[in-house]
């Protein structure tokens, strides 16, 4: 497993193609990761409140330093943010 910071991405990318060819939907539980294979299911847990969500990897990123995964806004809400 990995421990680190998650972020979210949406808005501009909604309706565009992800790196694996899917159409990005901000309402689905998806995520971007730099190395995990597309289709991988990942359990993401907010260590502050212990809320978790399962997402599937369909894109590449994040491209901001110190972040390990970018979640869809819907997934980010599920763990207590936004």
């Amino acid at each position: 497993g990995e421990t680190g910071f998650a972020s979210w991405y949406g808005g501009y990318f909604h309706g565009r193609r992800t790196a694996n060819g899917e159409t990005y939907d901000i309402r689905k539980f998806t995520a971007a990761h730099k190395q995990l294979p597309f289709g991988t299911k990942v359990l993401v847990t907010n260590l502050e409140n212990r809320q978790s969500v399962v997402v599937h990897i369909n894109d590449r990123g994040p491209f901001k330093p110190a972040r390990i995964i970018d979640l869809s806004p819907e997934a980010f809400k599920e763990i207590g943010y936004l």
Side-chain angles (χ1 to χ4, degrees):
E2 293 179 84
T3 302
F5 291 99
S7 55
W8 66 274
Y9 72 115
Y12 171 79
F13 297 100
H14 183 70
R16 295 176 178 268
R17 294 280 174 207
T18 62
N20 78 343
E22 292 179 21
T23 301
Y24 182 62
D25 186 338
I26 61 172
R27 296 174 300 260
K28 294 187 177 180
F29 295 128
T30 61
H33 191 276
K34 291 178 185 168
Q35 300 159 339
L36 290 173
F38 295 132
T40 299
K41 301 273 186 200
V42 177
L43 176 67
V44 178
T45 302
N46 179 337
L47 298 177
E48 294 175 3
N49 62 20
R50 309 309 283 167
Q51 293 182 36
S52 297
V53 65
V54 175
V55 295
H56 85 272
I57 303 299
N58 70 345
D59 210 355
R60 291 292 174 228
F63 299 106
K64 302 257 182 179
R67 296 183 186 167
I68 60 170
I69 196 165
D70 267 342
L71 304 176
S72 66
E74 197 67 23
F76 209 60
K77 278 192 261 185
E78 192 75 10
I79 61 170
Y81 289 113
L82 287 183

